[in-house]
Each structure stands twice: as structure tokens, then as C-alpha cells.
Amino acid sequence: MELLHVDDADDARLDDYRSLTDTALRAAREPEGGLYIAESAKVIARAVEAGHHPRSVMVQRRWVEGMRDLLDTVDVPAYVVPDAVAEAVTGFAVHRGALASMHRPSLPAVADVLADASLVLVLEDIGDHTNVGAAFRAAAGLGADAVLVSPRCADPLYRRSVRVSMGTVFQVPWTRMPDWASAVADLHGAGFDVAALALSEDAVTLDAYVARRPERVALVLGSEGDGLSRAAIESADTVVTIPMSGGVDSLNVASAAAVALWALKS
């Protein structure tokens, strides 16, 4: 691969990497241009192994030799930049050696994602990218077959989500629901019991639900502050709660996902 040395932070070839700060991109979902940013050699390699295609790579000068094997696997421009240029372009201190501008793959239909699944994690309106990434990591490590995300849920392919997930967003089948009603219809049509994880007077405990675990389960978790919407709770077949102690009423959403998935894995 030809390495292209770029020393000017205003060089237009670096525009894919410009202004990547959380403040600028926190509300972005599937941004225009069909691109996402993969950060670090490990994450880039996992994305490529999953069939995703890079458009370019920006690598810090001091990391080039250690990344030659990866760079040789992708036939795209590799822009080599000093640390100061990387930070000036992105808006943050880049510590992981490389960023890749990746073409965003087309998302499958909800029904296609559900076809071979028996345990699905559904994320409703979770706005924190770190929690989304952690939930995907739990899904991958604890036996979920797929993940559905709501229209207002943070982008699983945002660089922080990808990094926190340790690249598992590339191995767990997932898609974004067009709307809640149609997704619930698809879940029920495929024979899923929709289990809303929430605090409710009529909720059953997680251990009681596991004792009568349906064959196909869709576990639904809501946003960090407000929890699940009323529509999500009312459309669920079962409301499930994790019994707590010590005066604590609930767990972080990603922690709750991990506990429930561990309990539900067959």
C-alpha cells in the first residue's frame, strides 16, 4: 500500500475525520454520506473481517510500522499524519493509532434479523453511546442472537459505541426498527414473548420469568433516565424486574442487560 503523508490539518483528504467530538456528534444517527468511523487497529480489523469496506485510513506516524499487516489488507488510501494533525482534525487526542472511514452497510429488515434468533435484545431510546456499546458487548458475550434498536436510539456504529463494544457490533446481527408498533408486530409474528425490563407493580421477578422461559424471548430495555416508554410497557407480554437490595432500585441499562441475558441464556 502507498502511504500518503499529510502534514496539513486543513487538507481536504482528511475531511471524513473532521470534528468527531461527542459534542458535535452525540445526536447523529446514521449520518449522511453512509460512513462511520472505526477506531484502533483491532476494531478496524474486526470491521473488515465482518465484510465492511473502508474508504480510507488515517494513521499516526509513530504507529505505521506496527500496523503494516493491517494496512496491507485494505486497498485504500492510508494517510499518515503527525499526532498534532490527528488531534487538530478530529477534535480529540487520538491514542489508538488509527482511524478508518468505513462505508456503512445497508441494514437488514427486522424480520430477517429475527428469522434464526431465539433471544433478542431490544434497546429503546438509549442516548448514551457508551451504554449502547456495552449492551452490544453483553449481547455478544451472553448469548443474544440479535439486537434491535429504536429510531431514537444512539448509533451502534458511532466510534465510542464500537470501541466500548470491543468490535462486537460487527458480529451480532442488528438493525434499526422503523417504528415500535411494526417491530412488536414482527416480534409477535415470529413467536417472541416481548419481555419489558421495568419497575412495575405487576412485574414478575427475573428468576420467576426464567423458570417458565418462553422458547423465543425479546428482552426490551429503555433509556437511562426515564426507562421504557409507556407504549413499550403496554405492548409487552410480560414486565420483568431484577430484584434489588441495599436501597437501590435499578441498575445501569447495560448492566441490567448483562444480568438478564445471563439468566435467560439457554
Short mmCIF file of all heavy atoms in Angstrom, two decimals, residues 151-186:
data_model
loop_
_atom_site.label_atom_id
_atom_site.label_comp_id
_atom_site.label_asym_id
_atom_site.label_seq_id
_atom_site.Cartn_x
_atom_site.Cartn_y
_atom_site.Cartn_z
N PRO A 151 -35.83 3.89 16.71
CA PRO A 151 -35.47 5.01 15.83
C PRO A 151 -34.65 6.09 16.53
O PRO A 151 -33.81 6.73 15.90
CB PRO A 151 -36.83 5.54 15.37
CG PRO A 151 -37.73 4.35 15.41
CD PRO A 151 -37.28 3.58 16.62
N ARG A 152 -34.86 6.32 17.83
CA ARG A 152 -34.16 7.39 18.54
C ARG A 152 -32.98 6.88 19.37
O ARG A 152 -32.37 7.65 20.11
CB ARG A 152 -35.14 8.15 19.44
CG ARG A 152 -36.23 8.90 18.65
CD ARG A 152 -36.96 9.89 19.53
NE ARG A 152 -37.61 9.25 20.68
CZ ARG A 152 -38.19 9.91 21.67
NH1 ARG A 152 -38.19 11.23 21.67
NH2 ARG A 152 -38.77 9.25 22.66
N CYS A 153 -32.65 5.62 19.25
CA CYS A 153 -31.51 5.07 19.98
C CYS A 153 -30.21 5.56 19.35
O CYS A 153 -30.12 5.78 18.14
CB CYS A 153 -31.57 3.54 19.95
SG CYS A 153 -30.37 2.72 21.01
N ALA A 154 -29.18 5.75 20.17
CA ALA A 154 -27.88 6.18 19.67
C ALA A 154 -27.32 5.18 18.67
O ALA A 154 -27.65 3.99 18.69
CB ALA A 154 -26.91 6.37 20.84
N ASP A 155 -26.46 5.66 17.81
CA ASP A 155 -25.91 4.88 16.70
C ASP A 155 -24.93 3.81 17.19
O ASP A 155 -23.88 4.14 17.73
CB ASP A 155 -25.20 5.84 15.74
CG ASP A 155 -24.62 5.17 14.53
OD1 ASP A 155 -24.96 3.98 14.27
OD2 ASP A 155 -23.84 5.82 13.81
N PRO A 156 -25.21 2.52 16.97
CA PRO A 156 -24.26 1.48 17.37
C PRO A 156 -22.93 1.57 16.64
O PRO A 156 -21.92 1.06 17.14
CB PRO A 156 -24.99 0.18 17.01
CG PRO A 156 -26.44 0.53 17.05
CD PRO A 156 -26.50 1.94 16.52
N LEU A 157 -22.89 2.22 15.49
CA LEU A 157 -21.65 2.33 14.73
C LEU A 157 -20.91 3.64 14.98
O LEU A 157 -19.91 3.93 14.32
CB LEU A 157 -21.91 2.17 13.22
CG LEU A 157 -22.37 0.78 12.79
CD1 LEU A 157 -22.55 0.72 11.27
CD2 LEU A 157 -21.38 -0.29 13.24
N TYR A 158 -21.38 4.44 15.94
CA TYR A 158 -20.60 5.59 16.35
C TYR A 158 -19.32 5.08 17.02
O TYR A 158 -19.33 4.06 17.69
CB TYR A 158 -21.41 6.46 17.32
CG TYR A 158 -20.63 7.65 17.86
CD1 TYR A 158 -20.07 8.58 17.00
CD2 TYR A 158 -20.45 7.81 19.22
CE1 TYR A 158 -19.35 9.66 17.48
CE2 TYR A 158 -19.73 8.89 19.72
CZ TYR A 158 -19.18 9.81 18.84
OH TYR A 158 -18.46 10.87 19.31
N ARG A 159 -18.22 5.79 16.83
CA ARG A 159 -16.91 5.25 17.22
C ARG A 159 -16.84 4.87 18.70
O ARG A 159 -16.20 3.88 19.05
CB ARG A 159 -15.79 6.25 16.89
CG ARG A 159 -15.86 7.54 17.66
CD ARG A 159 -14.71 8.48 17.31
NE ARG A 159 -14.80 9.68 18.11
CZ ARG A 159 -14.31 9.81 19.35
NH1 ARG A 159 -13.67 8.80 19.90
NH2 ARG A 159 -14.45 10.93 20.02
N ARG A 160 -17.50 5.64 19.59
CA ARG A 160 -17.46 5.28 21.01
C ARG A 160 -18.24 3.99 21.27
O ARG A 160 -17.82 3.14 22.05
CB ARG A 160 -18.02 6.42 21.87
CG ARG A 160 -17.97 6.14 23.37
CD ARG A 160 -18.54 7.30 24.15
NE ARG A 160 -17.71 8.49 24.07
CZ ARG A 160 -16.72 8.78 24.91
NH1 ARG A 160 -16.43 7.95 25.90
NH2 ARG A 160 -16.04 9.90 24.78
N SER A 161 -19.40 3.83 20.62
CA SER A 161 -20.16 2.58 20.76
C SER A 161 -19.33 1.39 20.29
O SER A 161 -19.28 0.35 20.96
CB SER A 161 -21.45 2.66 19.94
OG SER A 161 -22.27 3.72 20.35
N VAL A 162 -18.71 1.54 19.13
CA VAL A 162 -17.90 0.46 18.58
C VAL A 162 -16.76 0.11 19.52
O VAL A 162 -16.48 -1.07 19.78
CB VAL A 162 -17.37 0.85 17.19
CG1 VAL A 162 -16.39 -0.21 16.68
CG2 VAL A 162 -18.52 1.01 16.19
N ARG A 163 -16.08 1.14 20.03
CA ARG A 163 -14.92 0.91 20.89
C ARG A 163 -15.32 0.21 22.19
O ARG A 163 -14.69 -0.76 22.61
CB ARG A 163 -14.21 2.22 21.20
CG ARG A 163 -12.91 2.03 21.97
CD ARG A 163 -12.15 3.32 22.13
NE ARG A 163 -12.78 4.21 23.09
CZ ARG A 163 -13.16 5.46 22.85
NH1 ARG A 163 -12.99 5.96 21.64
NH2 ARG A 163 -13.70 6.19 23.78
N VAL A 164 -16.39 0.70 22.84
CA VAL A 164 -16.83 0.09 24.10
C VAL A 164 -17.32 -1.34 23.87
O VAL A 164 -17.14 -2.22 24.72
CB VAL A 164 -17.93 0.95 24.75
CG1 VAL A 164 -18.55 0.23 25.94
CG2 VAL A 164 -17.36 2.29 25.18
N SER A 165 -17.89 -1.60 22.71
CA SER A 165 -18.37 -2.95 22.41
C SER A 165 -17.24 -3.91 22.10
O SER A 165 -17.48 -5.12 21.94
CB SER A 165 -19.33 -2.92 21.22
OG SER A 165 -18.62 -2.87 19.99
N MET A 166 -16.01 -3.40 22.00
CA MET A 166 -14.84 -4.20 21.59
C MET A 166 -15.05 -4.80 20.20
O MET A 166 -14.60 -5.90 19.90
CB MET A 166 -14.56 -5.29 22.62
CG MET A 166 -14.18 -4.78 23.99
SD MET A 166 -12.61 -3.85 23.98
CE MET A 166 -11.43 -5.15 23.67
N GLY A 167 -15.77 -4.07 19.35
CA GLY A 167 -15.99 -4.52 17.99
C GLY A 167 -17.09 -5.55 17.84
O GLY A 167 -17.34 -6.03 16.72
N THR A 168 -17.81 -5.86 18.92
CA THR A 168 -18.87 -6.88 18.81
C THR A 168 -20.09 -6.38 18.05
O THR A 168 -20.94 -7.19 17.66
CB THR A 168 -19.30 -7.38 20.21
OG1 THR A 168 -19.70 -6.26 21.01
CG2 THR A 168 -18.16 -8.12 20.89
N VAL A 169 -20.18 -5.07 17.80
CA VAL A 169 -21.27 -4.58 16.95
C VAL A 169 -21.16 -5.16 15.54
O VAL A 169 -22.14 -5.14 14.79
CB VAL A 169 -21.29 -3.04 16.87
CG1 VAL A 169 -21.63 -2.43 18.20
CG2 VAL A 169 -19.99 -2.49 16.33
N PHE A 170 -19.98 -5.68 15.19
CA PHE A 170 -19.79 -6.27 13.87
C PHE A 170 -20.15 -7.75 13.83
O PHE A 170 -20.22 -8.33 12.75
CB PHE A 170 -18.34 -6.09 13.41
CG PHE A 170 -17.87 -4.67 13.42
CD1 PHE A 170 -16.72 -4.30 14.10
CD2 PHE A 170 -18.59 -3.68 12.77
CE1 PHE A 170 -16.28 -2.99 14.12
CE2 PHE A 170 -18.16 -2.36 12.79
CZ PHE A 170 -17.01 -2.02 13.47
N GLN A 171 -20.32 -8.38 14.98
CA GLN A 171 -20.58 -9.81 14.98
C GLN A 171 -22.01 -10.17 15.38
O GLN A 171 -22.48 -11.27 15.07
CB GLN A 171 -19.59 -10.54 15.89
CG GLN A 171 -19.79 -10.32 17.39
CD GLN A 171 -18.69 -10.95 18.21
OE1 GLN A 171 -17.52 -10.57 18.14
NE2 GLN A 171 -19.05 -11.94 19.03
N VAL A 172 -22.71 -9.26 16.07
CA VAL A 172 -24.10 -9.53 16.46
C VAL A 172 -25.03 -8.95 15.39
O VAL A 172 -24.98 -7.75 15.12
CB VAL A 172 -24.43 -8.90 17.82
CG1 VAL A 172 -25.87 -9.22 18.21
CG2 VAL A 172 -23.47 -9.39 18.88
N PRO A 173 -25.88 -9.75 14.78
CA PRO A 173 -26.84 -9.20 13.81
C PRO A 173 -27.71 -8.14 14.48
O PRO A 173 -28.19 -8.33 15.60
CB PRO A 173 -27.67 -10.42 13.39
CG PRO A 173 -26.79 -11.60 13.69
CD PRO A 173 -26.01 -11.22 14.91
N TRP A 174 -27.90 -7.01 13.78
CA TRP A 174 -28.74 -5.96 14.37
C TRP A 174 -29.35 -5.12 13.27
O TRP A 174 -28.90 -5.14 12.12
CB TRP A 174 -27.93 -5.06 15.32
CG TRP A 174 -26.93 -4.15 14.65
CD1 TRP A 174 -25.66 -4.47 14.26
CD2 TRP A 174 -27.13 -2.79 14.27
NE1 TRP A 174 -25.05 -3.38 13.68
CE2 TRP A 174 -25.92 -2.34 13.67
CE3 TRP A 174 -28.21 -1.89 14.38
CZ2 TRP A 174 -25.77 -1.03 13.17
CZ3 TRP A 174 -28.06 -0.59 13.90
CH2 TRP A 174 -26.85 -0.17 13.30
N THR A 175 -30.38 -4.39 13.63
CA THR A 175 -30.97 -3.43 12.72
C THR A 175 -31.73 -2.38 13.52
O THR A 175 -31.98 -2.56 14.71
CB THR A 175 -31.88 -4.11 11.68
OG1 THR A 175 -32.12 -3.21 10.60
CG2 THR A 175 -33.23 -4.53 12.29
N ARG A 176 -32.10 -1.32 12.83
CA ARG A 176 -32.90 -0.27 13.47
C ARG A 176 -34.37 -0.45 13.10
O ARG A 176 -34.71 -0.62 11.93
CB ARG A 176 -32.41 1.12 13.03
CG ARG A 176 -33.03 2.26 13.85
CD ARG A 176 -32.41 3.60 13.50
NE ARG A 176 -31.04 3.76 13.92
CZ ARG A 176 -30.64 4.11 15.14
NH1 ARG A 176 -31.54 4.31 16.09
NH2 ARG A 176 -29.37 4.24 15.42
N MET A 177 -35.22 -0.44 14.12
CA MET A 177 -36.66 -0.59 13.90
C MET A 177 -37.22 0.66 13.22
O MET A 177 -36.86 1.78 13.63
CB MET A 177 -37.38 -0.81 15.23
CG MET A 177 -36.87 -1.97 16.04
SD MET A 177 -37.70 -2.12 17.66
CE MET A 177 -37.00 -0.71 18.54
N PRO A 178 -38.09 0.53 12.25
CA PRO A 178 -38.70 1.72 11.65
C PRO A 178 -39.63 2.43 12.63
O PRO A 178 -39.73 3.66 12.62
CB PRO A 178 -39.46 1.17 10.44
CG PRO A 178 -39.69 -0.28 10.76
CD PRO A 178 -38.51 -0.71 11.58
N ASP A 179 -40.31 1.68 13.46
CA ASP A 179 -41.19 2.24 14.50
C ASP A 179 -41.51 1.11 15.47
O ASP A 179 -41.32 -0.08 15.18
CB ASP A 179 -42.47 2.85 13.92
CG ASP A 179 -43.26 1.85 13.10
OD1 ASP A 179 -43.94 1.00 13.73
OD2 ASP A 179 -43.18 1.89 11.87
N TRP A 180 -42.01 1.48 16.65
CA TRP A 180 -42.24 0.49 17.70
C TRP A 180 -43.36 -0.48 17.33
O TRP A 180 -43.24 -1.69 17.50
CB TRP A 180 -42.55 1.18 19.02
CG TRP A 180 -42.76 0.20 20.13
CD1 TRP A 180 -43.92 -0.13 20.73
CD2 TRP A 180 -41.76 -0.62 20.74
NE1 TRP A 180 -43.72 -1.09 21.69
CE2 TRP A 180 -42.41 -1.41 21.71
CE3 TRP A 180 -40.38 -0.75 20.56
CZ2 TRP A 180 -41.71 -2.34 22.49
CZ3 TRP A 180 -39.69 -1.68 21.34
CH2 TRP A 180 -40.36 -2.45 22.29
N ALA A 181 -44.45 0.05 16.80
CA ALA A 181 -45.61 -0.81 16.52
C ALA A 181 -45.29 -1.91 15.53
O ALA A 181 -45.66 -3.08 15.73
CB ALA A 181 -46.78 0.05 16.01
N SER A 182 -44.61 -1.57 14.45
CA SER A 182 -44.30 -2.58 13.44
C SER A 182 -43.29 -3.60 13.97
O SER A 182 -43.36 -4.79 13.64
CB SER A 182 -43.77 -1.94 12.16
OG SER A 182 -42.54 -1.27 12.39
N ALA A 183 -42.35 -3.14 14.81
CA ALA A 183 -41.37 -4.07 15.38
C ALA A 183 -42.04 -5.07 16.31
O ALA A 183 -41.73 -6.27 16.29
CB ALA A 183 -40.29 -3.29 16.13
N VAL A 184 -42.98 -4.60 17.14
CA VAL A 184 -43.71 -5.50 18.02
C VAL A 184 -44.52 -6.50 17.21
O VAL A 184 -44.60 -7.69 17.54
CB VAL A 184 -44.62 -4.71 18.99
CG1 VAL A 184 -45.55 -5.65 19.75
CG2 VAL A 184 -43.78 -3.92 19.97
N ALA A 185 -45.12 -6.03 16.12
CA ALA A 185 -45.87 -6.93 15.25
C ALA A 185 -44.96 -8.01 14.67
O ALA A 185 -45.34 -9.19 14.60
CB ALA A 185 -46.55 -6.14 14.13
N ASP A 186 -43.75 -7.61 14.25
CA ASP A 186 -42.79 -8.58 13.72
C ASP A 186 -42.37 -9.57 14.79
O ASP A 186 -42.25 -10.78 14.53
CB ASP A 186 -41.55 -7.86 13.18
CG ASP A 186 -41.78 -7.20 11.83
OD1 ASP A 186 -42.69 -7.64 11.11
OD2 ASP A 186 -41.05 -6.25 11.51
#
